[in-house]
């Protein structure tokens, strides 16, 4: 982040926690879905694991159907082979719905979502069912255009290093 951004003023933020206890179980996922459903232009996501549950998956499909450009960066190299197989299946299906996927060279551990350069979320939450429903997680939501544009710039730099893949790529890959 630039010194100019961090050295001036205050950035409106919201800290959201979630966990397996019923009281806070879906706070972060609900916030992610609200972000996605509010998108008018673009959604950028970086995540080391991509096995969304039905609600998150449906929100992405609906946003894509509405003309929102969705770009998701996932790892090329995985720390868990079974997460790769599961993530690739979700990516293959969403490619059919107009969502763009990119493979980062190596393992990417960034967990960031940004929407329309207006709102960003950075935290511990992966886009996977375990993270969304079984783990205690915490994310910070930033409501500042300058900060969000900085996040988008980080995303674009990672995107420039990544390789876009399409449905044909996933169709050629064996499940395991």
């Amino acid at each position: 982040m630039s010194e100019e951004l961090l050295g001036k003023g205050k950035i409106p933020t919201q800290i959201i926690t979630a966990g397996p206890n019923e009281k806070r179980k879906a706070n972060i996922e609900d916030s992610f879905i609200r972000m996605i459903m509010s998108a008018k232009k673009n959604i950028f996501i970086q995540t080391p694991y991509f096995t969304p549950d039905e609600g998150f998956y449906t929100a992405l499909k609906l946003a894509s159907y509405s003309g929102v450009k969705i770009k998701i960066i996932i790892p090329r190299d995985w720390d868990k082979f079974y997460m790769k197989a599961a993530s690739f299946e979700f990516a293959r299906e969403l490619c059919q719905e107009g969502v763009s996927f990119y493979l980062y060279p190596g393992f990417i551990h960034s967990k960031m979502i940004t929407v329309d350069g207006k709102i960003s979320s950075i935290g511990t939450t992966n886009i996977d069912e375990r993270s969304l429903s079984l783990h205690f997680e915490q994310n910070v939501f930033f409501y500042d255009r300058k900060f969000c544009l900085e996040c988008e710039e980080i995303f674009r730099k990672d995107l420039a290093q990544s390789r876009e893949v399409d449905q044909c790529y996933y169709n050629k890959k064996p499940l395991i």
Side-chain angles (χ1 to χ4, degrees), residues 1-175:
M1 298 289 154
S2 70
E3 287 183 28
E4 178 183 295
L5 175 67
L6 297 176
K8 292 185 179 181
K10 298 176 181 165
I11 297 175
T13 60
Q14 179 180 23
I15 298 173
I16 299 178
T17 60
N21 57 340
E22 288 303 314
K23 186 177 178 184
R24 298 186 307 208
K25 188 172 185 173
N27 287 356
I28 294 173
E29 182 179 17
D30 288 348
S31 298
F32 284 164
I33 289 172
R34 284 186 192 104
M35 285 175 68
I36 291 166
M37 298 310 293
S38 74
K40 304 282 187 259
K41 297 183 295 182
N42 56 56
I43 299 167
F44 301 138
I45 298 174
Q46 290 179 301
T47 183
Y49 309 115
F50 187 76
T51 57
D53 66 8
E54 187 176 345
F56 195 95
Y57 181 89
T58 301
L60 287 175
K61 279 190 353 182
L62 291 172
S64 181
Y65 294 165
S66 298
V68 175
K69 301 296 179 206
I70 304 170
K71 296 183 180 186
I72 300 175
I73 298 175
I74 57 176
R76 179 195 66 204
D77 302 328
W78 298 74
D79 60 342
K80 297 173 178 78
F81 77 90
Y82 54 89
M83 288 304 294
K84 178 180 182 177
S87 294
F88 275 22
E89 181 58 23
F90 282 101
R92 185 188 66 74
E93 291 175 13
L94 281 172
C95 279
Q96 296 175 43
E97 310 299 343
V99 176
S100 299
F101 280 86
Y102 299 81
L103 300 180
Y104 184 81
F107 185 74
I108 190 166
H109 207 259
S110 175
K111 301 166 183 105
M112 178 174 69
I113 298 177
T114 185
V115 173
D116 291 343
K118 295 179 181 177
I119 180 173
S120 295
S121 177
I122 300 171
T124 63
T125 309
N126 296 304
I127 308 305
D128 74 346
E129 289 200 52
R130 292 177 54 90
S131 197
L132 294 172
S133 63
L134 296 176
H135 297 163
F136 287 98
E137 303 287 2
Q138 180 172 319
N139 276 55
V140 180
F141 290 74
F142 300 90
Y143 303 93
D144 182 83
R145 187 170 291 281
K146 280 187 176 182
F147 185 85
C148 292
L149 292 176
E150 289 273 341
C151 289
E152 285 187 359
E153 182 58 30
I154 291 168
F155 183 89
R156 284 185 180 88
K157 286 179 182 176
D158 289 340
L159 192 68
Q161 297 178 52
S162 301
R163 173 182 166 217
E164 185 172 9
V165 292
D166 59 15
Q167 184 181 353
C168 291
Y169 171 84
Y170 291 112
N171 287 343
K172 291 177 186 176
K173 295 288 179 189
L175 185 58

